[in-house]
């Protein structure tokens, strides 16, 4: 079980915390406005969930929507970072499309590609940051031979496919394990948690080593995005 002594695995070099609203929970009829609203409310990066009704039992949005969003946001000062979470199989065919559409991070599930090293390389050669996503029952051993290509590790705290599911507590142990792997590597790798994150449990995830926090329903389902993001950040400051 996760316990308090694991907090010693959190190092002083840990990246600053990023809050990443998942637009899966946004109002798609007003998507551009919704994304602007969460950015104005203090979001650090936008989490863009891509589901294909094959790797996961749901269908969401693709590169055309990302391209429209990137264009819509281009008049804002500073680049709005786009964190593309691919829940698709196969993976490689879509990487180029998402690079062209403006992805800054592209993460995918190792089980969904035949050649993990090749897929990571495609992302990096395209100029984006690359990451692997681990389902609740997927082993971190997939990292063993590709750490030099990884810029982000995403730990799923729900089974992928739907927003609004309950946080799986065992993912805290997995976060702590991933944090130890990152620290041992000495590399600058973001550790992201995705699924069921709310103001009430975000501090636990941070204590276990996460530095990037996806939240869909907790933010877009709230009446005041700035209030919710500020409340989450306040929880993180107490760590
Ligand atoms: C699940 C997605 C998540 C999801 C998060 O497959 O990858 O990003 O949208 O939504 P909440 O925060 O509502 O669990
Ligand atoms: Zn996601």
């Amino acid at each position: 079980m996760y316990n308090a002594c694991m907090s010693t695995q959190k190092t002083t070099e840990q990246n600053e915390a990023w809050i990443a609203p998942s637009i899966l929970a946004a109002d798609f009829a007003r998507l551009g406005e919704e994304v602007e609203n969460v950015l104005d409310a203090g979001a650090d990066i936008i989490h863009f969930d891509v589901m294909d009704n094959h790797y996961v039992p749901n269908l969401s949005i693709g590169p055309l929507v990302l391209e429209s969003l990137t264009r819509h946001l281009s008049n804002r000062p500073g680049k709005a970072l786009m964190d593309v979470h691919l829940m698709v199989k196969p993976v490689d065919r879509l990487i180029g499309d998402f690079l062209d559409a403006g992805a800054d991070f592209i993460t995918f599930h190792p089980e969904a590609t035949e050649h993990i090293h090749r897929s990571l390389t495609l992302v990096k050669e395209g100029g984006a940051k690359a990451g692997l996503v681990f389902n609740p029952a997927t082993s971190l051993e997939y990292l063993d031979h590709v750490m030099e290509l990884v810029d982000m590790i995403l730990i799923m705290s729900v089974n992928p496919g739907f927003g609004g599911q309950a946080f799986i507590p065992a993912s805290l142990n997995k976060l702590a394990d991933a944090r130890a792997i990152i620290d041992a590597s000495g590399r600058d790798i973001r550790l992201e948690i995705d699924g069921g994150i709310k103001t009430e449990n975000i501090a636990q995830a941070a204590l276990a080593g996460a530095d990037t926090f996806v939240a869909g329903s907790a933010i877009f389902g709230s009446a005041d995005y700035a209030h919710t993001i500020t409340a989450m950040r306040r929880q993180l400051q107490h760590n």
Side-chain angles (χ1 to χ4, degrees), residues 52-64:
D52 68 349
N53 190 39
H54 171 68
Y55 179 65
V56 291
N58 202 356
L59 191 62
S60 64
I61 44 179
L64 288 178

Side-chain angles (χ1 to χ4, degrees), residues 8-21:
T8 57
Q9 289 171 342
K10 186 178 166 189
T11 65
T12 47
E13 301 95 56
Q14 199 162 315
N15 282 312
E16 68 171 302
W18 280 359
I19 294 186

Side-chain angles (χ1 to χ4, degrees), residues 47 49 85 87 194 214:
H47 188 76
D49 283 310
H85 174 192
M87 288 162 275
D194 183 5
V214 177

Side-chain angles (χ1 to χ4, degrees), residues 14-61:
Q14 199 162 315
N15 282 312
E16 68 171 302
W18 280 359
I19 294 186
S22 161
I23 59 171
L24 195 62
D27 177 354
F28 280 100
R30 301 184 297 113
L31 190 55
E33 187 188 330
E34 286 272 75
V35 171
E36 287 195 279
N37 287 343
V38 281
L39 289 169
D40 290 342
D44 300 288
I45 186 167
I46 301 299
H47 188 76
F48 192 100
D49 283 310
V50 184
M51 302 174 173
D52 68 349
N53 190 39
H54 171 68
Y55 179 65
V56 291
N58 202 356
L59 191 62
S60 64
I61 44 179

